[in-house]
Amino acid sequence: MTALLKLTNISRSFGAIKALKSVDFEINSGEVMGLVGENGAGKSTLVKIISGFDDGYSGFLRLNGVAQRFSSPLKAERAGIAIAQQELSLIPAMTVAENVFISGEKAPIFATKSGLARKAHPFLNEVGLDDIDPFLPVERLSIGEQQLVEVARLLAQEPQVLILDEPTAALGESDSIRILRMVRRLAERGKSIIYVSHRMDEIFKICNRITVLRDGQSQEAKD
C-alpha cells in the first residue's frame, strides 16, 4: 500500500539543537496514526513541518506520492492537510454555523444565517454535534463542544489528513470520550488522522499504528 502522506529522513536543527534526526513518518488512507513522545522529543516540530508552519528542514515529504514542501499553513491546507491546534481559532460571539465557515476556500461568499446552518449541518453531524443548535453562539458551548466545532470547521475544507494536537489535554472525561468517538467515526468514513497525545490509554484505544519520537528520532510501534 502506498502511504497517503510519507515523510522520509526528516531533520531539523535550531542552531546547535537538533530537534529532529532522520525521522520517518507515514499515514495511510483511513488510518489513525498516533504520534507520541516526551516533551522535547520533536513532536511539535514534526507537526509544524507537516502542516506548513516550518519549511526549514531537510528530507522529503510526499503527499499522494508527489513531493511537496509547504512554505505556509495555507499551502498545506490547500493540498489537503488541516490541523486542529490546542489554541482554538473560533470567534466566541459568532454562531456555531458561522464558525464552521469562518475561513478556508470552501467558505461561501454570500449566505444567510439559515443557509449557513443548513450547510454546516453535515459537518456538525460528522463530529457528533447533530444535537447542537447551529444558531447558538460558540461561547455558550463547553470546551469539548468547541473542540468539536473546530474540527467541523476543518472538515468543511475537505482535508485528506487531519492533525489533532493534544485534543483532550484540557478536557474532562465526558468531553474526552466525545473526542475519541469522533475520531473513530471519522476514520470509519475514510479520514486519515494524526493523533498527537500524551495520554497512552487514548492512543492504544483508537490508533492503528504508533510512531514514537525519542530525542528527535523515530520508531514505529505496532498497535
Side-chain angles (χ1 to χ4, degrees):
M1 178 187 296
T2 301
L4 173 62
L5 174 69
K6 186 178 182 68
L7 288 82
T8 308
N9 201 30
I10 299 293
S11 296
R12 180 67 166 110
S13 296
F14 300 94
I17 300 173
K18 294 183 178 180
L20 297 175
K21 309 166 190 174
S22 301
V23 166
D24 294 328
F25 179 87
E26 67 176 36
I27 184 170
N28 301 313
S29 295
E31 183 175 40
V32 182
M33 173 62 84
L35 180 60
V36 302
E38 297 179 355
N39 290 333
K43 301 189 304 299
S44 294
T45 302
L46 185 61
V47 164
K48 286 177 181 178
I49 288 170
I50 295 171
S51 56
F53 286 90
D54 185 353
D55 68 346
Y57 62 92
S58 63
F60 302 94
L61 184 156
R62 292 181 173 84
L63 183 63
N64 293 311
V66 178
Q68 302 273 9
R69 181 175 288 262
F70 304 125
S71 58
S72 71
L74 180 59
K75 290 187 177 180
E77 187 178 287
R78 286 174 173 169
I81 297 175
I83 178 170
Q85 301 181 83
Q86 293 183 51
E87 294 293 329
L88 301 181
S89 58
L90 306 177
I91 297 180
M94 294 180 69
T95 68
V96 170
E98 288 170 334
N99 271 281
V100 169
F101 295 107
I102 200 170
S103 64
E105 295 186 337
K106 305 292 184 181
I109 298 175
F110 300 105
T112 62
K113 286 192 174 185
S114 58
L116 280 181
R118 286 194 300 272
K119 289 178 180 294
H121 190 68
F123 303 111
L124 295 173
N125 280 349
E126 204 163 5
V127 299
L129 289 180
D130 46 302
D131 58 336
I132 292 293
D133 182 355
F135 295 104
L136 198 67
V138 155
E139 61 192 357
R140 294 179 58 183
L141 304 182
S142 72
I143 296 298
E145 289 169 338
Q146 290 181 33
Q147 287 271 16
L148 294 172
V149 172
E150 177 84 352
V151 176
R153 182 186 69 79
L154 297 174
L155 293 177
Q157 299 170 35
E158 300 179 4
Q160 298 181 71
V161 179
L162 177 63
I163 305 170
L164 300 179
D165 187 5
E166 300 283 357
T168 63
L171 303 183
E173 183 178 358
S174 60
D175 279 336
S176 294
I177 290 172
R178 296 184 77 166
I179 295 290
L180 297 183
R181 287 174 177 167
M182 174 202 70
V183 171
R184 291 193 185 99
R185 279 195 302 273
L186 293 178
E188 289 170 358
R189 297 175 188 179
K191 293 293 182 184
S192 300
I193 300 167
I194 300 173
Y195 195 88
V196 186
S197 180
H198 285 95
R199 296 185 174 181
M200 297 307 297
D201 57 329
E202 295 180 357
I203 290 289
F204 289 125
K205 281 179 183 176
I206 64 172
C207 295
N208 302 107
R209 291 186 295 142
I210 302 168
T211 294
V212 181
L213 290 182
R214 288 195 179 99
D215 298 322
Q217 297 179 302
S218 60
Q219 64 182 63
E220 183 181 324
K222 302 259 183 212
D223 186 33

